[in-house]
Amino acid sequence: MTKLFFHSFGLRYQYRHKPGFDIFSLIDLAAELGFDGINVSAQLPGYIEISGRERDHLRKVRRHVEDRGLLIDIETRGTEVAHLSDCLAMAADVGAGHLRTYTTGTSDRRQRVAEAKLNLSKIAPMAEQVGIPILLENHEDLCGAEVADILASVNSPWIRALFDYVNSMLFFEHPYESLEAMKPWVTSAHLKDCVLLPPVRQGEGGTMLGVPIGAGITPVAELTEKLASLGIDRISFENTWSYRAPMRDRRSRGEGHESFPQWVDPLDLPADWIVEAAELAESNPTRLLELEMEALHESLRWLRNQSIGAGLTDA
């Protein structure tokens, strides 16, 4: 049975603009909604989503997670050995099953790939010693094929992959293509949805916009079914409503997906999906919080109609 996790990024505005909202609020809400676990960002600046990194705090988080009957995975970024070593210690303190990361640093992606191969090969024995696999994500840095290249080179059962349903679209790589490339290593996933907005001016690449689950162009149900067939037992739901990222260079082979990308006219979308979150946070933070929760519950309603979300409630 696939376990459904709740990602802390899905309530990023609650963390930043709702007084008193913290990691314990997230844990309680995830339990009330019927999730099996949580994925929590545990990175600078401020360790906002895990609400601190002191060892006593992390152990308190662990107790609360266990008391609510949940599992936990934590997430960071970068492949530097010293950094991942520190994050593995955090993961152990909080009782995490996995530590997710992605590459950072130079804009030269070939150098990023080379550094990741070296660093992840070095950290693999420590991940084995601690007993917590490190998962490399197809984030906004590398496409699925590049992640696969790194993992094939490292060749360790302790360095695996986290498949993101939409991120590789930034490189015009269809989700089926990225999953196929990463398939031998995938251990977990970020379930989310998006639309692709066409370029405004000639020479631009367009924009990815996060939308409620089931409302975008991502084949969410089909991808989830494929992951279940691979034996993936944990998938993290991520509410990315209003999040935007620019399309990048084309890295896809384009095999079998001639109709991709499917551009969506922004005029055809609800106005509440295309908001300037930073401006709204200044002018009307209460409305920003309401819109984020509305998108969350719209996604939950869709998920409940799918087999993977059958156990979710609408608390």
Side-chain angles (χ1 to χ4, degrees):
M1 174 69 76
T2 302
K3 300 177 181 66
L4 192 60
F5 283 48
F6 187 24
H7 202 295
S8 62
F9 186 78
L11 293 178
R12 60 199 177 280
Y13 301 129
Q14 311 295 314
Y15 270 103
R16 288 154 180 79
H17 304 293
K18 183 177 181 179
F21 192 94
D22 61 8
I23 180 62
F24 302 102
S25 308
L26 177 75
I27 293 167
D28 289 339
L29 180 58
E32 291 164 8
L33 291 174
F35 284 92
D36 299 295
I38 54 173
N39 275 51
V40 184
S41 172
Q43 59 193 33
L44 290 169
Y47 297 95
I48 293 172
E49 291 172 24
I50 202 164
S51 306
R53 67 138 306 154
E54 298 79 10
R55 198 166 196 186
D56 286 346
H57 169 73
L58 295 175
R59 289 175 172 173
K60 184 178 178 182
V61 171
R62 178 175 186 162
R63 288 194 297 272
H64 200 62
V65 166
E66 292 173 348
D67 287 346
R68 296 308 305 259
L70 299 178
L71 301 170
I72 182 171
D73 287 341
I74 68 169
E75 308 198 347
T76 188
R77 60 187 176 189
T79 63
E80 298 81 2
V81 174
H83 171 67
L84 288 179
S85 175
D86 182 54
C87 289
L88 282 171
M90 289 179 61
D93 281 337
V94 83
H98 300 100
L99 169 65
R100 180 232 59 176
T101 195
Y102 56 88
T103 67
T104 57
T106 176
S107 59
D108 183 341
R109 73 175 190 267
R110 291 172 297 181
Q111 184 176 339
R112 280 195 184 204
V113 168
E115 289 175 352
K117 289 177 179 178
L118 179 63
N119 290 337
L120 292 173
S121 293
K122 288 181 177 179
I123 198 68
M126 184 172 294
E128 180 177 11
Q129 182 180 12
V130 176
I132 300 174
I134 295 173
L135 310 183
L136 184 65
E137 180 185 355
N138 57 318
H139 197 254
E140 297 174 12
D141 50 340
L142 302 175
C143 69
E146 290 165 322
V147 170
D149 177 36
I150 294 169
L151 297 175
S153 175
V154 174
N155 190 29
S156 168
W158 293 95
I159 309 295
R160 309 296 289 174
L162 185 146
F163 167 70
D164 188 288
Y165 283 41
V166 310
N167 281 345
S168 290
M169 291 191 208
L170 291 171
F171 307 109
F172 298 90
E173 183 181 66
H174 192 282
Y176 290 155
E177 188 179 348
S178 51
L179 178 57
E180 183 63 27
M182 296 169 62
K183 184 168 64 175
W185 301 276
V186 172
T187 301
S188 185
H190 284 170
L191 183 160
K192 54 194 185 189
D193 204 353
C194 72
V195 294
L196 302 180
L197 307 181
V200 175
R201 290 176 289 273
Q202 188 172 6
E204 293 183 346
T207 302
M208 174 186 288
L209 174 69
V211 300
I213 306 297
I217 65 169
T218 314
V220 175
E222 294 81 357
L223 288 169
T224 304
E225 184 177 348
K226 284 179 178 288
L227 288 166
S229 72
L230 295 175
I232 306 307
D233 70 348
R234 57 179 67 194
I235 294 174
S236 181
F237 154 62
E238 192 170 354
N239 175 27
T240 57
W241 163 83
S242 86
Y243 177 76
R244 303 185 201 188
M247 301 289 285
R248 313 297 168 80
D249 56 298
R250 186 178 293 272
R251 302 182 193 176
S252 168
R253 298 188 184 95
E255 297 172 355
H257 305 294
E258 293 80 4
S259 63
F260 183 79
Q262 300 164 287
W263 301 113
V264 174
D265 189 333
L267 296 177
D268 293 334
L269 301 177
D272 287 344
W273 290 4
I274 309 177
V275 300
E276 296 294 340
E279 294 179 6
L280 191 57
E282 289 289 331
S283 64
N284 192 349
T286 299
R287 183 56 180 154
L288 178 64
L289 298 179
E290 290 173 349
L291 289 172
E292 183 176 54
M293 293 303 292
E294 287 173 10
L296 166 65
H297 288 290
E298 183 176 342
S299 296
L300 293 177
R301 285 192 292 272
W302 187 89
L303 285 169
R304 279 200 304 274
N305 291 326
Q306 310 298 313
S307 57
I308 188 172
L312 298 178
T313 67
D314 200 9

